[in-house]
Amino acid sequence: MDNGTQYVVGVDTGGSFTDVLVIDRNGNTTIGKAETTPGDLGTGVLNAVTNAAEKLSLSLEGLLEQSSALVQGTTIGTNILINRNGVMTGMITTKGF
């Protein structure tokens, strides 16, 4: 981490919940959580990061200003494959592709 930063933020957007893990420069962790918001996943991300920020007695903006990185991942696609509840999909290619 740079001298002016305190945190690294990791986000996982899942099918039901969006989870956040904040790690400070000493290795301490803080967890945030919010419901995933289908159709507007960004809202769920902001809500979960805000939840973690509040646990650190910070605003959303304060946490992000003091963070060197925010990493976003998702398990939505993995969950769809495992549960086999996604939409029917087909693939058309040319011969030899």
Side-chain angles (χ1 to χ4, degrees):
M1 287 186 214
D2 299 331
N3 290 337
T5 60
Q6 296 287 326
Y7 305 103
V8 173
V9 180
V11 180
D12 171 46
T13 302
S16 299
F17 291 98
T18 298
D19 299 297
V20 172
L21 178 67
V22 179
I23 304 173
D24 71 15
R25 65 176 52 219
N26 297 316
N28 300 310
T29 60
T30 302
I31 297 172
K33 190 175 200 92
E35 290 185 19
T36 297
T37 49
D40 184 13
L41 298 176
T43 297
V45 169
L46 291 174
N47 291 342
V49 176
T50 298
N51 179 253
E54 289 170 351
K55 291 180 180 180
L56 293 165
S57 299
L58 295 169
S59 65
L60 170 65
E61 294 80 8
L63 174 58
L64 295 178
E65 286 172 356
Q66 296 181 52
S67 296
S68 61
L70 186 142
V71 181
Q72 166 71 45
T74 182
T75 55
I76 293 173
T78 305
N79 291 342
I80 289 171
L81 289 173
I82 291 169
N83 296 320
R84 297 181 181 204
N85 60 357
V87 297
M88 293 294 290
T89 305
M91 183 170 125
I92 300 172
T93 67
T94 59
K95 183 176 180 179
F97 181 73

